Amino acid sequence: MTPWFAKQLLFFLSLASLPHLKYLPPAPELTREQSVQEIQYKVIRMKDQLAGTGWHRFSNERLIVSSMAVPAPTPLQYWDLAGWSCGPNAVTRAVSLVTGRTLFTSNVEYTRFALGVPKGLGAYHDHQYDDAMSYNTYGFKNVYNLLLMLRVPGVVQSSLSGWGLKTGAPPEWLAQYMNAYAEIGSGMHGLEFVYYGTNNFNNLWQQVTAHLDRGEGIIPLVVSGALQWHYLNIAGYSPETGEVLLLDYGRLLKWSIHHLQGLMYMGFNSQYYQGKEYAAFAVSSLVNWFSTINDYNVIFVRRKDIAGSRY
């Protein structure tokens, strides 16, 4: 089985999981395709484009610390992390935004952490074997995560994993894992990770702004295609201009809130029968077999001693 065929098989399996649609939620103003086309020019510099009033955001110091929180990997480490590690990246940046400090002092330390975060598909490394493994292997044992393909025959799952297909954990899994990881300390003790999903973007945005106003981290899940899910960080918003400030790969981005909504939307946009809309919804329906996925999904990162919203 070739990698191309494996990807096509995963896609058609997701199409088969599509539910019968009776009542469609309101579609966002912009389609996924339009949102993807409009985000390329949004990289900004803090000193030039954030000097105006009206921004509710983290301080420049927190933005700088967070943008440098993920150490640059070596080529070998990059090969291990490429294609799926946006979740650990976003978690690391969010913790730096909330605490004001960098968690990892070397790329080896960061790689050890990232490889312990479960994947949705592909090989991952289990933290419970840290003491038994060599430091040069990052301290983790290589095992397969079968949960994602629980309802798919084992031979299919083995073929997909064997060809190196990698996907990160769904947001509910990621939040659950990070809560367990924070309990052991490692610079995250005292933090909690709360998954929040909804079918109403206005409700989501109210929660996002409330958490940002309290200085808490926000990790949204955006989707630009069927197998192109991505975690990044919301670092601020401007009610005056209708824009949102994001951190991604150490870059500072500025999108309109409408573009963010278009890329976060996991539902089926009946107004636009475009490939990316249909494919992304098909894959999210497949993921819903085993983990909660709503139309809009975020992870909140906050201190346990701060009274947050209850969902």
Side-chain angles (χ1 to χ4, degrees):
M1 182 182 292
T2 65
W4 178 87
F5 183 77
K7 291 182 179 179
Q8 301 308 309
L9 178 59
L10 179 60
F11 174 65
F12 284 112
L13 286 170
S14 67
L15 292 183
S17 72
L18 282 171
H20 179 64
L21 300 177
K22 291 184 178 180
Y23 305 104
L24 293 173
E29 296 183 17
L30 298 173
T31 68
R32 200 175 317 279
E33 187 76 32
Q34 292 168 327
S35 297
V36 170
Q37 293 172 354
E38 292 294 326
I39 65 175
Q40 298 302 321
Y41 68 95
K42 294 292 188 178
V43 179
I44 65 172
R45 294 187 178 93
M46 284 187 292
K47 64 179 181 179
D48 296 332
Q49 294 171 278
L50 290 179
T53 60
W55 280 101
H56 299 242
R57 62 179 178 87
F58 287 95
S59 66
N60 289 356
E61 292 76 15
R62 294 287 175 98
L63 292 175
I64 292 172
V65 169
S66 181
S67 68
M68 298 185 297
V70 180
T74 66
L76 177 60
Q77 292 164 341
Y78 178 80
W79 177 258
D80 289 338
L81 300 174
W84 68 272
S85 62
C86 57
N89 290 348
V91 164
T92 302
R93 290 190 299 262
V95 172
S96 291
L97 284 172
V98 173
T99 65
R101 63 178 185 272
T102 301
L103 292 175
F104 304 104
T105 59
S106 71
N107 52 17
V108 172
E109 285 184 355
Y110 171 73
T111 305
R112 285 169 62 89
F113 158 71
L115 288 177
V117 177
K119 294 187 184 69
L121 181 66
Y124 75 98
H125 302 253
D126 195 328
H127 272 290
Q128 65 179 309
Y129 297 103
D130 279 10
D131 296 335
M133 301 297 291
S134 165
Y135 191 80
N136 290 334
T137 62
Y138 309 125
F140 306 126
K141 181 179 180 180
N142 222 1
V143 295
Y144 279 101
N145 183 355
L146 298 177
L147 293 178
L148 178 67
M149 304 301 290
L150 188 62
R151 300 190 183 183
V152 179
V155 63
V156 175
Q157 194 277 338
S158 298
S159 298
L160 292 171
S161 295
W163 281 105
L165 294 183
K166 302 175 182 178
T167 62
E172 188 176 33
W173 285 10
L174 182 57
Q176 289 173 350
Y177 175 82
M178 289 311 308
N179 280 323
Y181 186 83
E183 287 296 321
I184 67 173
S186 302
M188 299 186 192
H189 190 71
L191 297 179
E192 63 179 349
F193 299 78
V194 181
Y195 165 68
Y196 176 67
T198 179
N199 295 328
N200 187 307
F201 185 78
N202 290 332
N203 291 345
L204 173 84
W205 191 245
Q206 290 176 2
Q207 294 290 345
V208 167
T209 56
H211 280 76
L212 282 172
D213 289 343
R214 292 194 296 265
E216 298 168 3
I218 318 288
I219 303 174
L221 176 64
V222 297
V223 182
S224 58
L227 297 177
Q228 295 172 308
W229 294 22
H230 187 56
Y231 293 104
L232 37 70
N233 301 89
I234 298 178
Y237 68 98
S238 172
E240 294 183 6
T241 63
E243 293 174 311
V244 58
L245 192 67
L246 301 111
L247 275 171
D248 188 26
Y249 295 119
R251 303 175 303 171
L252 198 59
L253 309 174
K254 187 164 62 176
W255 296 355
S256 74
I257 296 174
H258 294 316
H259 283 113
L260 176 66
Q261 180 184 7
L263 279 177
M264 288 187 66
Y265 187 56
M266 302 288 287
F268 185 67
N269 191 332
S270 60
Q271 299 177 23
Y272 305 91
Y273 292 94
Q274 298 175 339
K276 292 189 178 191
E277 300 286 341
Y278 190 78
F281 178 59
V283 173
S284 68
S285 299
L286 175 64
V287 174
N288 256 321
W289 284 2
F290 48 83
S291 179
T292 301
I293 293 291
N294 284 277
D295 285 346
Y296 304 99
N297 304 273
V298 298
I299 298 172
F300 297 124
V301 183
R302 63 196 190 197
R303 298 182 185 276
K304 289 183 178 179
D305 58 350
I306 296 178
S309 300
R310 299 304 174 198
Y311 312 118

